[in-house]
Amino acid sequence: MSSGSGGRIAVHAFEDFLIGSIQVELSDAVAAQFRDDLLDAVHGSGARAVIIDASGLDVMDLHEFEHLRRTFRMAEIMGTRTFLVGLSPGIVAALVTLDADTDGLETALSVEHAIDLLHAEEDSFSEARMSTVAGEDDDVG
Amino acid sequence: MSGSQEFRVRILGESDVAVAVMQAQRYSRSVGFNEAGCCRIATAVSELARNILKYADSGEIVFRPQLNPRHKGIEISALDNGPGIADLELALTDRYSTGKTLGLGLPGVRRLMDDFDVQTAPGQGTRVTIRKWL
Protein backbone atom coordinates (compact mmCIF):
# COMPACT_ATOMS: atom_id res chain seq x y z
CA MET A 1 0.00 0.00 0.00
CA SER A 2 2.63 2.54 -0.99
CA SER A 3 1.55 6.12 -1.46
CA GLY A 4 1.54 7.95 -4.77
CA SER A 5 1.80 11.67 -4.19
CA GLY A 6 1.81 13.39 -0.85
CA GLY A 7 0.81 10.69 1.60
CA ARG A 8 -2.24 8.71 2.35
CA ILE A 9 -4.28 7.75 5.39
CA ALA A 10 -3.62 4.07 6.09
CA VAL A 11 -6.43 1.93 7.42
CA HIS A 12 -5.68 -1.18 9.48
CA ALA A 13 -7.84 -4.04 10.63
CA PHE A 14 -8.03 -4.64 14.38
CA GLU A 15 -10.42 -7.25 15.80
CA ASP A 16 -13.53 -6.62 13.73
CA PHE A 17 -12.85 -2.92 13.36
CA LEU A 18 -10.98 -0.76 10.91
CA ILE A 19 -8.74 1.90 12.35
CA GLY A 20 -7.20 4.80 10.49
CA SER A 21 -5.14 7.70 11.68
CA ILE A 22 -4.99 11.08 9.95
CA GLN A 23 -1.36 12.13 10.02
CA VAL A 24 -1.21 14.19 6.88
CA GLU A 25 -2.89 17.32 5.60
CA LEU A 26 -6.39 16.50 4.35
CA SER A 27 -5.97 17.83 0.85
CA ASP A 28 -8.68 17.01 -1.68
CA ALA A 29 -6.45 14.33 -3.20
CA VAL A 30 -5.69 12.72 0.17
CA ALA A 31 -9.35 12.89 1.20
CA ALA A 32 -10.47 11.27 -2.05
CA GLN A 33 -7.84 8.53 -1.72
CA PHE A 34 -8.90 7.92 1.86
CA ARG A 35 -12.53 7.64 0.83
CA ASP A 36 -11.71 5.06 -1.84
CA ASP A 37 -9.36 3.09 0.42
CA LEU A 38 -11.82 3.08 3.29
CA LEU A 39 -14.80 1.96 1.24
CA ASP A 40 -12.73 -0.84 -0.30
CA ALA A 41 -11.56 -1.89 3.16
CA VAL A 42 -15.10 -1.87 4.56
CA HIS A 43 -16.35 -3.82 1.58
CA GLY A 44 -13.57 -6.36 1.82
CA SER A 45 -13.53 -6.84 5.58
CA GLY A 46 -17.14 -6.46 6.65
CA ALA A 47 -15.86 -4.55 9.67
CA ARG A 48 -18.57 -3.58 12.09
CA ALA A 49 -17.01 -0.23 12.92
CA VAL A 50 -14.53 2.22 11.48
CA ILE A 51 -12.54 4.37 13.90
CA ILE A 52 -10.76 7.40 12.46
CA ASP A 53 -8.25 9.10 14.67
CA ALA A 54 -7.85 12.83 14.11
CA SER A 55 -5.54 13.45 17.07
CA GLY A 56 -2.65 14.16 14.70
CA LEU A 57 -4.39 17.24 13.35
CA ASP A 58 -3.96 20.74 14.73
CA VAL A 59 -6.54 22.30 12.46
CA MET A 60 -9.57 21.04 10.58
CA ASP A 61 -11.71 23.42 8.59
CA LEU A 62 -15.26 23.02 7.38
CA HIS A 63 -14.24 21.81 3.95
CA GLU A 64 -12.09 19.01 5.37
CA PHE A 65 -14.72 18.11 7.96
CA GLU A 66 -17.42 17.82 5.33
CA HIS A 67 -15.18 15.60 3.19
CA LEU A 68 -14.79 13.28 6.16
CA ARG A 69 -18.49 13.31 6.93
CA ARG A 70 -19.37 12.39 3.36
CA THR A 71 -16.92 9.50 3.50
CA PHE A 72 -18.44 8.39 6.80
CA ARG A 73 -21.92 8.52 5.30
CA MET A 74 -20.77 6.29 2.47
CA ALA A 75 -19.26 3.77 4.92
CA GLU A 76 -22.48 3.79 6.93
CA ILE A 77 -24.50 3.03 3.83
CA MET A 78 -22.26 0.01 3.39
CA GLY A 79 -23.34 -1.08 6.84
CA THR A 80 -20.60 -0.11 9.23
CA ARG A 81 -20.54 2.35 12.11
CA THR A 82 -18.12 5.22 11.97
CA PHE A 83 -16.35 7.05 14.77
CA LEU A 84 -14.29 10.20 14.58
CA VAL A 85 -11.99 10.35 17.58
CA GLY A 86 -9.24 12.48 19.01
CA LEU A 87 -10.51 15.87 17.92
CA SER A 88 -8.69 18.57 19.84
CA PRO A 89 -10.65 21.08 21.93
CA GLY A 90 -9.57 23.85 19.55
CA ILE A 91 -10.83 21.98 16.50
CA VAL A 92 -14.16 21.14 18.14
CA ALA A 93 -14.69 24.73 19.25
CA ALA A 94 -13.86 26.06 15.79
CA LEU A 95 -16.09 23.57 13.97
CA VAL A 96 -19.08 24.30 16.19
CA THR A 97 -18.44 28.03 15.82
CA LEU A 98 -18.47 27.55 12.06
CA ASP A 99 -21.81 25.77 12.41
CA ALA A 100 -20.52 22.43 11.15
CA ASP A 101 -23.18 19.76 10.81
CA THR A 102 -22.37 17.32 13.58
CA ASP A 103 -25.77 15.67 13.60
CA GLY A 104 -25.42 11.91 13.91
CA LEU A 105 -21.63 12.01 14.08
CA GLU A 106 -20.32 9.43 16.53
CA THR A 107 -17.20 10.48 18.35
CA ALA A 108 -14.97 9.45 21.22
CA LEU A 109 -11.96 10.93 22.94
CA SER A 110 -9.58 8.35 21.52
CA VAL A 111 -9.31 5.07 19.63
CA GLU A 112 -9.20 3.25 23.00
CA HIS A 113 -12.39 4.94 24.17
CA ALA A 114 -14.19 3.94 20.97
CA ILE A 115 -13.04 0.34 21.26
CA ASP A 116 -14.10 0.19 24.92
CA LEU A 117 -17.50 1.56 23.98
CA LEU A 118 -17.91 -1.00 21.20
CA HIS A 119 -16.82 -3.87 23.50
CA ALA A 120 -19.21 -2.71 26.21
CA GLU A 121 -22.09 -2.61 23.75
CA GLU A 122 -21.25 -6.06 22.50
CA ASP A 123 -21.02 -7.41 26.05
CA SER A 124 -24.38 -6.01 27.05
CA PHE A 125 -25.89 -7.30 23.82
CA SER A 126 -24.58 -10.80 24.57
CA GLU A 127 -25.82 -10.63 28.16
CA ALA A 128 -29.24 -9.53 27.02
CA ARG A 129 -29.33 -12.35 24.52
CA MET A 130 -28.26 -14.96 27.11
CA SER A 131 -30.75 -13.84 29.72
CA THR A 132 -33.53 -13.96 27.14
CA VAL A 133 -32.59 -17.53 26.33
CA ALA A 134 -32.29 -18.46 30.03
CA GLY A 135 -35.44 -16.57 30.96
CA GLU A 136 -37.62 -19.65 30.91
CA ASP A 137 -35.70 -21.34 33.78
CA ASP A 138 -36.95 -20.74 37.32
CA ASP A 139 -33.70 -20.78 39.19
CA VAL A 140 -31.49 -18.61 37.01
CA GLY A 141 -30.71 -15.40 38.87
CA MET B 1 5.67 52.06 18.53
CA SER B 2 4.87 50.56 15.17
CA GLY B 3 7.55 48.80 13.22
CA SER B 4 5.07 46.03 12.81
CA GLN B 5 6.10 43.39 10.36
CA GLU B 6 4.11 41.89 7.58
CA PHE B 7 4.30 38.37 6.22
CA ARG B 8 2.59 37.34 3.02
CA VAL B 9 1.52 33.95 1.72
CA ARG B 10 0.46 33.84 -1.90
CA ILE B 11 -2.58 31.70 -2.55
CA LEU B 12 -2.41 30.15 -6.01
CA GLY B 13 -3.14 26.50 -5.42
CA GLU B 14 -4.48 24.11 -2.82
CA SER B 15 -1.10 23.45 -1.24
CA ASP B 16 -0.92 27.17 -0.40
CA VAL B 17 -3.91 26.77 1.91
CA ALA B 18 -1.89 24.38 4.07
CA VAL B 19 1.04 26.80 4.04
CA ALA B 20 -1.20 29.68 5.13
CA VAL B 21 -2.67 27.52 7.91
CA MET B 22 0.78 26.56 9.18
CA GLN B 23 1.95 30.15 9.11
CA ALA B 24 -1.20 31.24 10.91
CA GLN B 25 -0.42 28.79 13.70
CA ARG B 26 3.18 29.88 13.80
CA TYR B 27 2.51 33.61 14.01
CA SER B 28 -0.34 33.13 16.48
CA ARG B 29 1.89 31.07 18.72
CA SER B 30 4.65 33.66 18.53
CA VAL B 31 2.23 36.40 19.58
CA GLY B 32 1.27 34.26 22.57
CA PHE B 33 -2.11 32.75 21.77
CA ASN B 34 -2.89 29.44 23.46
CA GLU B 35 -3.70 26.30 21.46
CA ALA B 36 -7.40 26.99 21.17
CA GLY B 37 -6.74 30.54 20.05
CA CYS B 38 -4.18 29.46 17.47
CA CYS B 39 -6.64 26.88 16.20
CA ARG B 40 -9.44 29.42 15.80
CA ILE B 41 -7.16 31.81 13.95
CA ALA B 42 -5.75 29.08 11.72
CA THR B 43 -9.22 27.78 10.94
CA ALA B 44 -10.39 31.26 9.97
CA VAL B 45 -7.35 31.61 7.71
CA SER B 46 -8.11 28.24 6.14
CA GLU B 47 -11.66 29.30 5.32
CA LEU B 48 -10.50 32.60 3.83
CA ALA B 49 -7.72 30.98 1.82
CA ARG B 50 -10.15 28.46 0.38
CA ASN B 51 -12.49 31.29 -0.63
CA ILE B 52 -9.63 32.88 -2.54
CA LEU B 53 -9.03 29.64 -4.41
CA LYS B 54 -12.67 29.09 -5.09
CA TYR B 55 -13.63 32.53 -6.34
CA ALA B 56 -10.46 34.19 -7.60
CA ASP B 57 -7.41 33.34 -9.71
CA SER B 58 -5.10 34.28 -6.93
CA GLY B 59 -4.75 36.21 -3.77
CA GLU B 60 -2.74 36.44 -0.64
CA ILE B 61 -2.96 36.18 3.10
CA VAL B 62 -1.10 38.90 4.95
CA PHE B 63 -0.13 38.37 8.59
CA ARG B 64 0.49 41.38 10.82
CA PRO B 65 1.39 40.35 14.35
CA GLN B 66 0.48 43.15 16.73
CA LEU B 67 3.17 43.27 19.37
CA ASN B 68 2.38 46.47 21.24
CA PRO B 69 2.36 45.15 24.84
CA ARG B 70 -0.82 47.05 25.65
CA HIS B 71 -2.68 45.66 22.65
CA LYS B 72 -1.22 42.34 21.64
CA GLY B 73 -2.82 40.26 18.98
CA ILE B 74 -2.82 39.49 15.33
CA GLU B 75 -4.29 41.07 12.24
CA ILE B 76 -4.72 39.07 9.08
CA SER B 77 -5.95 40.16 5.68
CA ALA B 78 -7.13 37.92 2.88
CA LEU B 79 -6.98 39.71 -0.45
CA ASP B 80 -7.96 38.51 -3.86
CA ASN B 81 -8.42 39.76 -7.39
CA GLY B 82 -11.68 37.92 -7.81
CA PRO B 83 -15.05 39.20 -8.94
CA GLY B 84 -15.89 40.82 -5.61
CA ILE B 85 -18.96 40.04 -3.56
CA ALA B 86 -22.05 41.46 -5.21
CA ASP B 87 -24.37 41.09 -2.25
CA LEU B 88 -22.25 41.71 0.83
CA GLU B 89 -25.23 41.84 3.13
CA LEU B 90 -26.27 38.35 2.07
CA ALA B 91 -22.70 37.13 2.40
CA LEU B 92 -22.67 38.24 6.03
CA THR B 93 -26.01 36.70 6.85
CA ASP B 94 -26.23 33.65 8.99
CA ARG B 95 -28.22 30.61 8.07
CA TYR B 96 -30.25 31.19 11.20
CA SER B 97 -31.62 34.53 10.17
CA THR B 98 -32.81 33.86 6.67
CA GLY B 99 -32.20 30.19 6.04
CA LYS B 100 -29.79 30.90 3.23
CA THR B 101 -26.12 31.78 2.97
CA LEU B 102 -23.77 32.61 0.17
CA GLY B 103 -21.56 29.72 1.16
CA LEU B 104 -18.55 31.91 1.80
CA GLY B 105 -18.52 31.03 5.47
CA LEU B 106 -18.03 34.69 6.40
CA PRO B 107 -20.44 34.72 9.36
CA GLY B 108 -18.51 31.77 10.78
CA VAL B 109 -15.16 33.47 10.26
CA ARG B 110 -16.54 36.56 11.98
CA ARG B 111 -17.63 34.47 14.96
CA LEU B 112 -14.17 32.93 15.26
CA MET B 113 -12.46 36.30 15.53
CA ASP B 114 -12.75 39.49 17.56
CA ASP B 115 -12.76 41.99 14.70
CA PHE B 116 -13.85 41.47 11.13
CA ASP B 117 -14.32 43.70 8.14
CA VAL B 118 -14.79 43.25 4.43
CA GLN B 119 -14.00 45.57 1.57
CA THR B 120 -15.32 44.48 -1.74
CA ALA B 121 -17.02 45.67 -4.89
CA PRO B 122 -18.07 43.89 -8.06
CA GLY B 123 -15.05 43.64 -10.33
CA GLN B 124 -12.70 44.97 -7.67
CA GLY B 125 -11.73 41.97 -5.68
CA THR B 126 -12.21 41.38 -2.01
CA ARG B 127 -10.29 42.12 1.13
CA VAL B 128 -11.30 40.48 4.39
CA THR B 129 -9.47 41.68 7.50
CA ILE B 130 -9.73 39.81 10.76
CA ARG B 131 -8.19 40.50 14.15
CA LYS B 132 -7.88 38.64 17.37
CA TRP B 133 -6.54 40.06 20.62
CA LEU B 134 -4.84 38.31 23.51
Side-chain angles (χ1 to χ4, degrees):
Chain A
M1 246 204 174
S2 62
S3 92
S5 60
R8 146 187 218 150
I9 300 168
V11 175
H12 313 282
F14 173 79
E15 295 181 9
D16 51 350
F17 313 129
L18 285 172
I19 304 185
S21 180
I22 306 174
Q23 302 290 355
V24 294
E25 202 54 50
L26 267 173
S27 67
D28 285 354
V30 167
Q33 185 80 72
F34 169 63
R35 177 199 61 217
D36 294 345
D37 288 349
L38 182 66
L39 295 180
D40 282 345
V42 169
H43 189 250
S45 67
R48 70 182 176 97
V50 170
I51 302 169
I52 300 305
D53 184 1
S55 61
L57 288 178
D58 293 326
V59 181
M60 184 189 293
D61 70 11
L62 214 50
H63 178 86
E64 292 156 347
F65 176 77
E66 283 165 2
H67 250 305
L68 272 183
R69 281 229 76 182
R70 276 195 294 275
T71 296
F72 281 14
R73 244 174 251 134
M74 294 171 194
E76 283 157 18
I77 289 171
M78 294 187 78
T80 188
R81 278 171 78 181
T82 59
F83 284 84
L84 184 59
V85 309
L87 292 169
S88 74
I91 288 179
V92 171
L95 285 175
V96 172
T97 302
L98 289 174
D99 199 25
D101 179 11
T102 55
D103 220 26
L105 178 68
E106 288 201 271
T107 60
L109 285 181
S110 67
V111 173
E112 287 70 29
H113 280 86
I115 290 175
D116 286 346
L117 181 85
L118 288 158
H119 283 162
E121 286 178 357
E122 195 185 6
D123 289 347
S124 66
F125 176 70
S126 313
E127 279 170 24
R129 207 175 32 176
M130 288 195 303
S131 64
T132 307
V133 165
E136 317 289 87
D137 295 15
D138 288 325
D139 42 9
V140 173
Chain B
M1 193 182 180
S2 80
S4 56
Q5 285 187 286
E6 249 182 32
F7 306 94
R8 295 167 177 262
V9 175
R10 296 233 65 197
I11 305 295
L12 290 162
E14 196 191 3
S15 55
D16 298 327
V17 175
V19 172
V21 168
M22 273 194 308
Q23 296 294 57
Q25 289 181 274
R26 180 180 154 206
Y27 293 124
S28 305
R29 238 175 257 136
S30 74
V31 167
F33 285 99
N34 65 8
E35 268 187 55
C38 290
C39 187
R40 290 171 83 90
I41 294 163
T43 307
V45 167
S46 196
E47 298 290 319
L48 294 177
R50 286 195 196 274
N51 277 354
I52 291 173
L53 274 188
K54 205 163 154 190
Y55 298 104
D57 293 327
S58 69
E60 58 184 6
I61 307 282
V62 184
F63 296 96
R64 291 182 202 94
Q66 308 290 303
L67 300 173
N68 182 333
R70 279 180 298 147
H71 212 32
K72 259 188 142 189
I74 194 163
E75 176 182 282
I76 299 165
S77 292
L79 304 95
D80 71 49
N81 62 357
I85 302 169
D87 190 342
L88 184 56
E89 206 177 303
L90 180 61
L92 296 174
T93 300
D94 241 320
R95 191 160 63 90
Y96 293 117
S97 354
T98 66
K100 26 173 201 175
T101 67
L102 260 194
L104 292 168
L106 294 181
V109 169
R110 182 164 55 182
R111 283 193 296 272
L112 283 173
M113 305 298 287
D114 295 335
D115 293 341
F116 171 95
D117 73 74
V118 187
Q119 284 166 355
T120 186
Q124 294 188 16
T126 301
R127 173 204 288 259
V128 180
T129 301
I130 53 179
R131 295 176 199 91
K132 195 158 183 69
W133 307 106
L134 273 181

